[in-house]
Amino acid sequence: MKKVISFVLFLFSIQGFASSCPDGSEPIKSVSDDGTYYVFNCDGNNEQASSSSTDSSSGNSTNSNSNIKALAGIEIENDPNIDFFKPPQKPYPIGKLYWFGMMWQMADFNKDGYSDVLYIGTMNPNNVEMTGEDTGGICGGEVCKGNKPLPSLYLGDAKQNLTYAPELLFDNRDDSGMSSGRQLLVADYNNDSILDFYVADHGVGTHNGVRDSYFLSQPNGTWVESSETHLSHSNFVVFDHGGATGDIDNDGDMDVVITELAQMKRGTAFWCLINDGAGYLKKRACGGTGASGLELADLDNDGDLDALVGASEFDNYNRNFTGIVWNDGNGNFPKYNTTSLPQHKKRWGHIPEASAADLDADGDLDIVYSRVGYLYVGTAIQIIENLGNKKFKDHGIIPLVEAPADYTPTHEGNEWNDFIQMIKFRDLDKDGDIDLYLSSSQSQKTNGMVLLNQSDFAFELLLPNVAQKYVSIDFNTPILLSEEQKAEEQAIEDEIAAFEAELAMELGE
């Protein structure tokens, strides 16, 4: 496995990018004296184009360059210097810890030069009783009960092995762990050059939500859940189906934006958690529109991060806007300053995930939506071209899994539920343009699908078995287990299979 370039170097190379010199020429890039970040100079000027400076009197970060490009979480997730591979769907003991909804992020968490994997997921409740149509009735309309698992960190090494490292994560809250981790937001929140992570947790069993989790790196190499010390509202309960991270106020540190289902009651659709530079996140209402999927990206090339919103277009009230809410430059998203994007309400009207990348190499970010049908029946990808000047062109729907035309679902947990949870971007075939890697932890059909960019917004869909050759490293075998662990894992798989069969019978499938 190739060693990754230091995340610090990557971070500063993005945050310190100066678009051009005063005379219109390109700045000269060099490495700083200590080798940890890039310096951009114009005409021999030694001025460093860093993303922020520190006011010695207050200790606060202040914006020092109007040409700064704000760092977004999608750039960390898609860092081309990090080894990219298809991680195992259920390495031991994830099958025991999580019921469904496994999501992952790859990064060099312990800074040893090798890529690691961090997983989140949904708890295994002990009071399952399927009612209603969606996951709000998965435990009889009540809060699901049982042991809440922690995120799971696996450390990579030079031999392409992953080692489970639960001893590195600590959650000392009385009610520790995750109910249903919906978004895993990875960034260096406390500015110590080590990656931290925020778990947007919408909960399982109701749509009332639960509190989130916030893990910060420690000097001893561990990560500690730090809500009580580093969140202004440590027990804030919110149904945050969408969440994203990025420097929304351009002050050089990473903030968090989460969605609010109960926007009618609280008067805001987004909550912004503003970083003080040392990892303390202060919550404030910041506008927005109802969202099912949310991503932060600079979609008008003005240097700040905008909110890309994916709707539940079947919803006539709270979450029916698909489009962009523009950043006012101060980390606010006024609900009146928006650009709507084409909907596909009739067949593919729900958007669980949104992302962006420059698919045509023209210098601006294009839009990719993960779409599903009513009650998550079938899944598809929508691609929208950024034409510049806040103009966009819909290139339509790419179906991935389609149910029979006469199929009528009765619950989200149906046999055709197959949605793309994560969209990753990488030049997989090494032809100079960006391709799409699709991840769905619950599906053997779509997990690992690839859309190869053929230019001019034409894409070739590769099924997972064919797409394998374009993924640089694939852990085809599970982590080495003892005979006792193998027996335990088999027993867990048998138990889950029996439960799924019982659930299918209850749903009449």
Short mmCIF file of all heavy atoms in Angstrom, two decimals, residues 253-315:
data_model
loop_
_atom_site.label_atom_id
_atom_site.label_comp_id
_atom_site.label_asym_id
_atom_site.label_seq_id
_atom_site.Cartn_x
_atom_site.Cartn_y
_atom_site.Cartn_z
N ASP A 253 -10.99 27.23 10.14
CA ASP A 253 -11.29 26.01 10.87
C ASP A 253 -12.57 25.38 10.34
O ASP A 253 -13.33 26.00 9.61
CB ASP A 253 -11.37 26.26 12.38
CG ASP A 253 -12.30 27.40 12.74
OD1 ASP A 253 -13.41 27.48 12.16
OD2 ASP A 253 -11.95 28.22 13.59
N MET A 254 -12.79 24.15 10.70
CA MET A 254 -13.89 23.36 10.14
C MET A 254 -15.13 23.45 11.03
O MET A 254 -15.07 23.19 12.24
CB MET A 254 -13.46 21.91 9.97
CG MET A 254 -12.31 21.74 8.98
SD MET A 254 -12.76 22.21 7.29
CE MET A 254 -13.66 20.75 6.80
N ASP A 255 -16.25 23.79 10.40
CA ASP A 255 -17.54 23.89 11.07
C ASP A 255 -18.42 22.72 10.66
O ASP A 255 -18.05 21.92 9.80
CB ASP A 255 -18.22 25.22 10.71
CG ASP A 255 -17.27 26.41 10.83
OD1 ASP A 255 -16.79 26.66 11.94
OD2 ASP A 255 -16.99 27.06 9.80
N VAL A 256 -19.60 22.63 11.27
CA VAL A 256 -20.55 21.56 10.97
C VAL A 256 -21.92 22.18 10.70
O VAL A 256 -22.32 23.13 11.37
CB VAL A 256 -20.65 20.56 12.15
CG1 VAL A 256 -21.81 19.59 11.95
CG2 VAL A 256 -19.35 19.80 12.32
N VAL A 257 -22.62 21.65 9.70
CA VAL A 257 -24.00 22.05 9.42
C VAL A 257 -24.86 20.79 9.45
O VAL A 257 -24.52 19.78 8.84
CB VAL A 257 -24.13 22.74 8.05
CG1 VAL A 257 -25.57 23.16 7.81
CG2 VAL A 257 -23.20 23.95 7.96
N ILE A 258 -25.98 20.85 10.20
CA ILE A 258 -26.90 19.73 10.27
C ILE A 258 -28.31 20.22 9.96
O ILE A 258 -28.63 21.39 10.11
CB ILE A 258 -26.87 19.03 11.65
CG1 ILE A 258 -27.14 20.03 12.78
CG2 ILE A 258 -25.55 18.32 11.86
CD1 ILE A 258 -27.18 19.40 14.16
N THR A 259 -29.15 19.30 9.49
CA THR A 259 -30.51 19.65 9.11
C THR A 259 -31.47 19.48 10.29
O THR A 259 -31.17 18.77 11.25
CB THR A 259 -30.99 18.78 7.94
OG1 THR A 259 -30.93 17.40 8.32
CG2 THR A 259 -30.11 19.01 6.72
N GLU A 260 -32.63 20.10 10.17
CA GLU A 260 -33.64 20.09 11.22
C GLU A 260 -34.98 19.70 10.62
O GLU A 260 -35.54 20.43 9.79
CB GLU A 260 -33.73 21.47 11.89
CG GLU A 260 -34.90 21.67 12.82
CD GLU A 260 -34.84 20.76 14.05
OE1 GLU A 260 -34.22 21.16 15.05
OE2 GLU A 260 -35.42 19.67 13.99
N LEU A 261 -35.52 18.53 11.00
CA LEU A 261 -36.82 18.11 10.49
C LEU A 261 -37.93 18.99 11.04
O LEU A 261 -38.87 19.35 10.32
CB LEU A 261 -37.08 16.65 10.85
CG LEU A 261 -38.42 16.07 10.37
CD1 LEU A 261 -38.47 16.02 8.85
CD2 LEU A 261 -38.66 14.68 10.94
N ALA A 262 -37.82 19.39 12.32
CA ALA A 262 -38.87 20.17 12.96
C ALA A 262 -38.67 21.67 12.74
O ALA A 262 -38.76 22.48 13.66
CB ALA A 262 -38.92 19.86 14.45
N GLN A 263 -38.40 22.06 11.48
CA GLN A 263 -38.09 23.46 11.20
C GLN A 263 -39.26 24.39 11.47
O GLN A 263 -39.08 25.56 11.81
CB GLN A 263 -37.64 23.59 9.74
CG GLN A 263 -38.66 23.08 8.74
CD GLN A 263 -38.17 23.20 7.31
OE1 GLN A 263 -37.93 24.30 6.83
NE2 GLN A 263 -37.99 22.07 6.65
N MET A 264 -40.49 23.89 11.30
CA MET A 264 -41.66 24.73 11.54
C MET A 264 -41.72 25.18 13.00
O MET A 264 -42.12 26.29 13.32
CB MET A 264 -42.94 23.97 11.18
CG MET A 264 -43.02 23.55 9.72
SD MET A 264 -43.10 24.95 8.60
CE MET A 264 -43.40 24.10 7.04
N LYS A 265 -41.30 24.29 13.90
CA LYS A 265 -41.35 24.59 15.33
C LYS A 265 -40.19 25.47 15.77
O LYS A 265 -40.34 26.34 16.62
CB LYS A 265 -41.34 23.29 16.14
CG LYS A 265 -42.57 22.41 15.91
CD LYS A 265 -42.47 21.14 16.75
CE LYS A 265 -43.68 20.23 16.53
NZ LYS A 265 -43.56 18.98 17.31
N ARG A 266 -38.99 25.24 15.20
CA ARG A 266 -37.79 25.92 15.70
C ARG A 266 -37.38 27.10 14.85
O ARG A 266 -36.48 27.84 15.22
CB ARG A 266 -36.64 24.92 15.78
CG ARG A 266 -36.99 23.68 16.60
CD ARG A 266 -35.80 23.11 17.28
NE ARG A 266 -35.80 21.67 17.31
CZ ARG A 266 -35.11 20.94 18.17
NH1 ARG A 266 -34.36 21.54 19.07
NH2 ARG A 266 -35.15 19.64 18.14
N GLY A 267 -38.00 27.27 13.68
CA GLY A 267 -37.74 28.46 12.87
C GLY A 267 -36.46 28.42 12.07
O GLY A 267 -36.01 29.45 11.57
N THR A 268 -35.84 27.25 11.94
CA THR A 268 -34.64 27.13 11.11
C THR A 268 -34.59 25.74 10.52
O THR A 268 -35.06 24.77 11.13
CB THR A 268 -33.36 27.41 11.92
OG1 THR A 268 -32.24 27.43 11.03
CG2 THR A 268 -33.12 26.36 12.99
N ALA A 269 -34.05 25.63 9.32
CA ALA A 269 -33.88 24.32 8.69
C ALA A 269 -32.47 23.79 8.88
O ALA A 269 -32.25 22.59 8.83
CB ALA A 269 -34.21 24.41 7.21
N PHE A 270 -31.50 24.70 9.07
CA PHE A 270 -30.11 24.33 9.33
C PHE A 270 -29.71 24.80 10.72
O PHE A 270 -30.11 25.88 11.16
CB PHE A 270 -29.14 25.00 8.34
CG PHE A 270 -29.26 24.57 6.91
CD1 PHE A 270 -28.54 25.24 5.93
CD2 PHE A 270 -30.07 23.51 6.51
CE1 PHE A 270 -28.64 24.88 4.60
CE2 PHE A 270 -30.18 23.14 5.19
CZ PHE A 270 -29.45 23.83 4.22
N TRP A 271 -28.90 23.99 11.37
CA TRP A 271 -28.15 24.44 12.54
C TRP A 271 -26.67 24.45 12.16
O TRP A 271 -26.16 23.45 11.64
CB TRP A 271 -28.37 23.52 13.74
CG TRP A 271 -29.76 23.58 14.30
CD1 TRP A 271 -30.78 22.69 14.10
CD2 TRP A 271 -30.28 24.61 15.14
NE1 TRP A 271 -31.90 23.10 14.77
CE2 TRP A 271 -31.63 24.27 15.42
CE3 TRP A 271 -29.76 25.78 15.69
CZ2 TRP A 271 -32.45 25.06 16.22
CZ3 TRP A 271 -30.58 26.56 16.50
CH2 TRP A 271 -31.90 26.21 16.76
N CYS A 272 -26.01 25.55 12.40
CA CYS A 272 -24.58 25.66 12.13
C CYS A 272 -23.83 25.59 13.45
O CYS A 272 -24.15 26.31 14.41
CB CYS A 272 -24.27 26.98 11.42
SG CYS A 272 -24.90 27.04 9.72
N LEU A 273 -22.84 24.73 13.52
CA LEU A 273 -21.99 24.58 14.69
C LEU A 273 -20.65 25.22 14.35
O LEU A 273 -19.85 24.66 13.60
CB LEU A 273 -21.83 23.11 15.06
CG LEU A 273 -23.13 22.29 15.14
CD1 LEU A 273 -22.83 20.87 15.57
CD2 LEU A 273 -24.14 22.94 16.06
N ILE A 274 -20.45 26.42 14.89
CA ILE A 274 -19.31 27.26 14.49
C ILE A 274 -18.11 26.99 15.38
O ILE A 274 -18.18 27.11 16.61
CB ILE A 274 -19.71 28.75 14.53
CG1 ILE A 274 -20.93 29.00 13.64
CG2 ILE A 274 -18.54 29.61 14.10
CD1 ILE A 274 -20.73 28.63 12.18
N ASN A 275 -16.99 26.69 14.74
CA ASN A 275 -15.76 26.33 15.43
C ASN A 275 -15.01 27.58 15.89
O ASN A 275 -14.88 28.55 15.14
CB ASN A 275 -14.87 25.53 14.47
CG ASN A 275 -13.79 24.73 15.16
OD1 ASN A 275 -13.34 25.07 16.25
ND2 ASN A 275 -13.37 23.66 14.51
N ASP A 276 -14.52 27.55 17.13
CA ASP A 276 -13.74 28.69 17.65
C ASP A 276 -12.26 28.58 17.31
O ASP A 276 -11.46 29.43 17.69
CB ASP A 276 -13.93 28.82 19.16
CG ASP A 276 -13.23 27.73 19.96
OD1 ASP A 276 -12.83 26.70 19.35
OD2 ASP A 276 -13.09 27.88 21.18
N GLY A 277 -11.89 27.54 16.59
CA GLY A 277 -10.49 27.33 16.21
C GLY A 277 -9.80 26.27 17.03
O GLY A 277 -8.75 25.77 16.64
N ALA A 278 -10.39 25.92 18.18
CA ALA A 278 -9.80 24.90 19.05
C ALA A 278 -10.73 23.70 19.21
O ALA A 278 -10.53 22.87 20.10
CB ALA A 278 -9.47 25.50 20.42
N GLY A 279 -11.76 23.63 18.37
CA GLY A 279 -12.65 22.48 18.40
C GLY A 279 -13.94 22.68 19.16
O GLY A 279 -14.77 21.78 19.20
N TYR A 280 -14.12 23.85 19.78
CA TYR A 280 -15.38 24.13 20.48
C TYR A 280 -16.39 24.62 19.45
O TYR A 280 -16.16 25.61 18.75
CB TYR A 280 -15.17 25.19 21.56
CG TYR A 280 -16.40 25.49 22.38
CD1 TYR A 280 -16.74 24.70 23.48
CD2 TYR A 280 -17.24 26.55 22.05
CE1 TYR A 280 -17.87 24.95 24.22
CE2 TYR A 280 -18.38 26.82 22.80
CZ TYR A 280 -18.69 26.02 23.88
OH TYR A 280 -19.82 26.28 24.62
N LEU A 281 -17.53 23.92 19.35
CA LEU A 281 -18.54 24.21 18.34
C LEU A 281 -19.75 24.88 19.00
O LEU A 281 -20.40 24.28 19.87
CB LEU A 281 -18.99 22.93 17.62
CG LEU A 281 -17.89 22.10 16.94
CD1 LEU A 281 -18.49 20.88 16.26
CD2 LEU A 281 -17.11 22.95 15.94
N LYS A 282 -20.04 26.10 18.57
CA LYS A 282 -21.17 26.85 19.12
C LYS A 282 -22.34 26.79 18.16
O LYS A 282 -22.24 27.17 17.00
CB LYS A 282 -20.77 28.30 19.37
CG LYS A 282 -21.87 29.12 20.05
CD LYS A 282 -21.39 30.52 20.38
CE LYS A 282 -22.48 31.32 21.10
NZ LYS A 282 -22.03 32.68 21.44
N LYS A 283 -23.48 26.33 18.64
CA LYS A 283 -24.66 26.13 17.82
C LYS A 283 -25.41 27.44 17.61
O LYS A 283 -25.61 28.22 18.54
CB LYS A 283 -25.60 25.11 18.49
CG LYS A 283 -26.93 24.88 17.76
CD LYS A 283 -27.76 23.82 18.44
CE LYS A 283 -28.37 24.30 19.73
NZ LYS A 283 -29.47 25.26 19.53
N ARG A 284 -25.83 27.67 16.36
CA ARG A 284 -26.71 28.80 16.06
C ARG A 284 -27.58 28.47 14.86
O ARG A 284 -27.21 27.68 13.99
CB ARG A 284 -25.91 30.07 15.78
CG ARG A 284 -25.01 30.04 14.55
CD ARG A 284 -24.47 31.43 14.26
NE ARG A 284 -23.45 31.46 13.24
CZ ARG A 284 -23.67 31.42 11.92
NH1 ARG A 284 -24.92 31.32 11.47
NH2 ARG A 284 -22.68 31.47 11.06
N ALA A 285 -28.79 29.02 14.84
CA ALA A 285 -29.65 28.88 13.68
C ALA A 285 -29.02 29.63 12.51
O ALA A 285 -28.49 30.73 12.69
CB ALA A 285 -31.04 29.44 13.99
N CYS A 286 -29.10 29.06 11.31
CA CYS A 286 -28.43 29.71 10.18
C CYS A 286 -29.22 29.60 8.88
O CYS A 286 -28.66 29.62 7.80
CB CYS A 286 -27.01 29.17 10.01
SG CYS A 286 -26.89 27.38 9.85
N GLY A 287 -30.55 29.49 9.01
CA GLY A 287 -31.39 29.56 7.82
C GLY A 287 -31.56 28.23 7.13
O GLY A 287 -31.85 27.22 7.75
N GLY A 288 -31.39 28.23 5.81
CA GLY A 288 -31.50 27.01 5.03
C GLY A 288 -32.93 26.65 4.66
O GLY A 288 -33.88 27.37 4.94
N THR A 289 -33.05 25.51 4.01
CA THR A 289 -34.34 24.96 3.61
C THR A 289 -34.39 23.50 4.04
O THR A 289 -33.35 22.87 4.27
CB THR A 289 -34.55 25.04 2.09
OG1 THR A 289 -33.56 24.24 1.44
CG2 THR A 289 -34.44 26.47 1.59
N GLY A 290 -35.59 22.95 4.14
CA GLY A 290 -35.74 21.56 4.53
C GLY A 290 -34.95 20.65 3.63
O GLY A 290 -34.98 20.77 2.40
N ALA A 291 -34.20 19.72 4.21
CA ALA A 291 -33.30 18.88 3.42
C ALA A 291 -33.31 17.45 3.92
O ALA A 291 -33.37 17.19 5.13
CB ALA A 291 -31.88 19.43 3.47
N SER A 292 -33.26 16.53 2.98
CA SER A 292 -33.03 15.13 3.30
C SER A 292 -31.55 14.80 3.13
O SER A 292 -30.94 14.16 3.97
CB SER A 292 -33.88 14.26 2.38
OG SER A 292 -33.62 12.89 2.62
N GLY A 293 -30.97 15.28 2.02
CA GLY A 293 -29.53 15.17 1.80
C GLY A 293 -28.90 16.55 1.81
O GLY A 293 -29.52 17.53 1.38
N LEU A 294 -27.67 16.67 2.31
CA LEU A 294 -27.00 17.96 2.43
C LEU A 294 -25.50 17.78 2.19
O LEU A 294 -24.89 16.84 2.68
CB LEU A 294 -27.23 18.55 3.82
CG LEU A 294 -26.41 19.79 4.20
CD1 LEU A 294 -26.86 20.99 3.39
CD2 LEU A 294 -26.54 20.10 5.70
N GLU A 295 -24.91 18.70 1.40
CA GLU A 295 -23.47 18.76 1.25
C GLU A 295 -23.04 20.21 1.16
O GLU A 295 -23.83 21.07 0.76
CB GLU A 295 -23.01 17.99 0.01
CG GLU A 295 -21.51 17.78 -0.09
CD GLU A 295 -20.92 17.15 1.15
OE1 GLU A 295 -20.89 15.92 1.23
OE2 GLU A 295 -20.50 17.92 2.05
N LEU A 296 -21.81 20.50 1.56
CA LEU A 296 -21.23 21.84 1.47
C LEU A 296 -20.23 21.86 0.32
O LEU A 296 -19.31 21.02 0.27
CB LEU A 296 -20.55 22.22 2.78
CG LEU A 296 -21.48 22.38 3.99
CD1 LEU A 296 -20.66 22.57 5.27
CD2 LEU A 296 -22.42 23.58 3.81
N ALA A 297 -20.39 22.83 -0.58
CA ALA A 297 -19.48 22.94 -1.73
C ALA A 297 -19.57 24.35 -2.28
O ALA A 297 -20.64 24.98 -2.23
CB ALA A 297 -19.86 21.93 -2.81
N ASP A 298 -18.48 24.86 -2.82
CA ASP A 298 -18.46 26.19 -3.43
C ASP A 298 -18.94 26.06 -4.87
O ASP A 298 -18.17 25.79 -5.78
CB ASP A 298 -17.05 26.78 -3.38
CG ASP A 298 -17.00 28.20 -3.92
OD1 ASP A 298 -18.07 28.75 -4.28
OD2 ASP A 298 -15.90 28.76 -4.00
N LEU A 299 -20.23 26.27 -5.08
CA LEU A 299 -20.85 26.02 -6.37
C LEU A 299 -20.90 27.24 -7.28
O LEU A 299 -21.31 27.14 -8.44
CB LEU A 299 -22.25 25.45 -6.17
CG LEU A 299 -22.25 24.05 -5.55
CD1 LEU A 299 -23.60 23.69 -4.98
CD2 LEU A 299 -21.80 23.01 -6.56
N ASP A 300 -20.50 28.42 -6.78
CA ASP A 300 -20.44 29.61 -7.62
C ASP A 300 -19.04 30.22 -7.68
O ASP A 300 -18.86 31.32 -8.19
CB ASP A 300 -21.44 30.66 -7.16
CG ASP A 300 -21.29 31.04 -5.69
OD1 ASP A 300 -20.39 30.47 -5.02
OD2 ASP A 300 -22.06 31.88 -5.21
N ASN A 301 -18.04 29.47 -7.14
CA ASN A 301 -16.64 29.89 -7.20
C ASN A 301 -16.40 31.28 -6.62
O ASN A 301 -15.58 32.05 -7.14
CB ASN A 301 -16.12 29.84 -8.65
CG ASN A 301 -15.62 28.45 -9.03
OD1 ASN A 301 -15.37 27.61 -8.17
ND2 ASN A 301 -15.49 28.22 -10.32
N ASP A 302 -17.11 31.61 -5.53
CA ASP A 302 -16.89 32.90 -4.89
C ASP A 302 -16.04 32.78 -3.63
O ASP A 302 -15.86 33.75 -2.91
CB ASP A 302 -18.21 33.59 -4.59
CG ASP A 302 -19.05 32.85 -3.55
OD1 ASP A 302 -18.70 31.69 -3.21
OD2 ASP A 302 -20.06 33.42 -3.08
N GLY A 303 -15.54 31.56 -3.34
CA GLY A 303 -14.64 31.37 -2.21
C GLY A 303 -15.30 30.91 -0.94
O GLY A 303 -14.61 30.61 0.03
N ASP A 304 -16.64 30.85 -0.89
CA ASP A 304 -17.29 30.31 0.30
C ASP A 304 -18.13 29.10 -0.05
O ASP A 304 -18.43 28.84 -1.22
CB ASP A 304 -18.12 31.37 1.04
CG ASP A 304 -19.18 32.02 0.16
OD1 ASP A 304 -19.76 31.32 -0.69
OD2 ASP A 304 -19.44 33.22 0.32
N LEU A 305 -18.49 28.34 0.96
CA LEU A 305 -19.18 27.07 0.76
C LEU A 305 -20.68 27.26 0.79
O LEU A 305 -21.22 27.85 1.73
CB LEU A 305 -18.76 26.07 1.84
CG LEU A 305 -17.27 25.72 1.89
CD1 LEU A 305 -16.99 24.77 3.04
CD2 LEU A 305 -16.80 25.12 0.57
N ASP A 306 -21.34 26.76 -0.22
CA ASP A 306 -22.79 26.83 -0.32
C ASP A 306 -23.39 25.50 0.13
O ASP A 306 -22.69 24.50 0.27
CB ASP A 306 -23.19 27.15 -1.76
CG ASP A 306 -22.43 28.36 -2.30
OD1 ASP A 306 -22.58 29.45 -1.71
OD2 ASP A 306 -21.66 28.20 -3.27
N ALA A 307 -24.70 25.49 0.34
CA ALA A 307 -25.38 24.29 0.81
C ALA A 307 -26.12 23.65 -0.35
O ALA A 307 -27.07 24.23 -0.90
CB ALA A 307 -26.35 24.63 1.93
N LEU A 308 -25.68 22.47 -0.75
CA LEU A 308 -26.36 21.69 -1.76
C LEU A 308 -27.40 20.83 -1.06
O LEU A 308 -27.06 20.01 -0.20
CB LEU A 308 -25.35 20.81 -2.51
CG LEU A 308 -25.91 19.83 -3.52
CD1 LEU A 308 -26.64 20.56 -4.65
CD2 LEU A 308 -24.79 18.95 -4.08
N VAL A 309 -28.66 21.01 -1.42
CA VAL A 309 -29.77 20.39 -0.71
C VAL A 309 -30.46 19.38 -1.60
O VAL A 309 -30.77 19.66 -2.76
CB VAL A 309 -30.79 21.46 -0.26
CG1 VAL A 309 -32.04 20.82 0.31
CG2 VAL A 309 -30.16 22.39 0.77
N GLY A 310 -30.71 18.19 -1.05
CA GLY A 310 -31.52 17.18 -1.73
C GLY A 310 -32.81 16.98 -0.96
O GLY A 310 -32.80 16.80 0.26
N ALA A 311 -33.92 17.01 -1.67
CA ALA A 311 -35.23 16.98 -1.02
C ALA A 311 -35.78 15.57 -0.87
O ALA A 311 -35.29 14.62 -1.47
CB ALA A 311 -36.23 17.81 -1.83
N SER A 312 -36.82 15.49 -0.05
CA SER A 312 -37.75 14.39 -0.14
C SER A 312 -38.93 14.97 -0.91
O SER A 312 -39.83 15.58 -0.33
CB SER A 312 -38.18 13.90 1.25
OG SER A 312 -39.07 12.81 1.12
N GLU A 313 -38.90 14.84 -2.22
CA GLU A 313 -39.84 15.55 -3.08
C GLU A 313 -41.26 15.02 -2.96
O GLU A 313 -42.21 15.66 -3.44
CB GLU A 313 -39.35 15.47 -4.53
CG GLU A 313 -38.04 16.21 -4.73
CD GLU A 313 -37.28 15.84 -5.99
OE1 GLU A 313 -37.80 15.00 -6.76
OE2 GLU A 313 -36.17 16.36 -6.20
N PHE A 314 -41.43 13.85 -2.31
CA PHE A 314 -42.77 13.34 -2.02
C PHE A 314 -43.42 14.12 -0.88
O PHE A 314 -44.62 14.04 -0.66
CB PHE A 314 -42.71 11.86 -1.65
CG PHE A 314 -42.09 10.99 -2.72
CD1 PHE A 314 -40.94 10.25 -2.45
CD2 PHE A 314 -42.64 10.90 -3.98
CE1 PHE A 314 -40.37 9.44 -3.42
CE2 PHE A 314 -42.07 10.09 -4.96
CZ PHE A 314 -40.94 9.36 -4.68
N ASP A 315 -42.59 14.83 -0.09
CA ASP A 315 -43.06 15.59 1.06
C ASP A 315 -43.57 16.95 0.58
O ASP A 315 -42.82 17.74 0.01
CB ASP A 315 -41.90 15.77 2.04
CG ASP A 315 -42.29 16.46 3.33
OD1 ASP A 315 -43.37 17.08 3.38
OD2 ASP A 315 -41.50 16.40 4.29
#
